[in-house]
Amino acid sequence: QVRLQESGPGLVKPSQTLSLTCSVSGGSIDSRAYYWTWIRQHAGKGLEWLGYIYKSGTTYYNPSLESRITISIDKSANHFSLTLTSMTGADTAVYFCARGVGACSSSNCGGSWFDSWGQGTQVIVSS
Amino acid sequence: DIQMTQSPSSLSASLGDRVTFSCQASQDISNYLNWYQHKPGEAPKLLIYDASQLETGVPSRFSGSGSGTIFTLTISSLQPEDIATYYCQHYLDLPLTFGGGTKVDI
């Protein structure tokens, strides 16, 4: 059974860059049609999809973050990463990594539902 | 972006109750709708995909229905371990979006 685990700093200063890593165990990040995903949750709010990456390296980002976000994949280390620049208090949230199952709708082919998640890591933006 | 609206935002029920809550999409999303259960401090869990398909290992007391813009998640007999927040999510197109959640307690 695949397991995902987020790691990274819990505290980031305003204007700095956040870097998080999601380590995948129990399965290869290079296998099958999965989309390796980052999702966050602001305190007391719903979930926000940030973006995902396919094993080929193709990325898809939420337009609300597109100028600040980068998702990368390291197949040799079996992990993928999130970089978010110019952090502000609005980026304070719990960040989850997840595995998106590849499927197609009538409009799009990509990660469709998320069948495995990490437990999440709290990131606070504060000076 | 497609807006997903869940109702109610919270509900209180008794053990053994049949519980139903809703998710409404701002446009027709066919059956491209998923449901998750989230308990504090834990990883969210996929319950239902494609509006009505039960994820492997999920108890059969959970069921999903609907298509187009209105969807429901039903718990046929509420159990103590079902206390959680439930989220819907569409995948018609990007960006993927989630509803605000329905918190279920006893």
Side-chain angles (χ1 to χ4, degrees), chain A residues 39 41 44-49 52 60-63 96 103-108 111-120, chain B residues 1 30 32 34 36 38 41-46 48-50 55 87 89-101:
Chain A
I39 292 163
Q41 183 175 36
K45 304 289 186 182
L47 298 160
E48 178 185 17
W49 173 77
Y52 51 53
Y60 306 81
Y61 299 135
N62 192 319
F96 297 94
C104 293
S105 71
S106 55
S107 303
N108 177 62
S112 53
W113 54 86
F114 306 107
D115 66 346
S116 295
W117 297 64
Q119 286 197 306
Chain B
D1 298 2
S30 185
Y32 305 126
N34 311 310
Y36 302 86
H38 190 205
E42 297 187 11
K45 178 183 178 181
L46 175 68
I48 302 280
Y49 62 94
D50 283 349
E55 171 71 345
Y87 295 96
Q89 171 243 324
H90 85 86
Y91 70 95
L92 174 67
D93 57 14
L94 299 183
L96 308 178
T97 55
F98 293 82

Side-chain angles (χ1 to χ4, degrees), chain A residues 68-87:
Chain A
R68 299 197 292 134
I69 187 173
T70 303
I71 298 175
S72 58
I73 193 167
D74 186 336
K75 296 177 194 177
S76 63
N78 219 43
H79 70 219
F80 62 106
S81 300
L82 168 71
T83 301
L84 195 59
T85 63
S86 304
M87 294 284 283

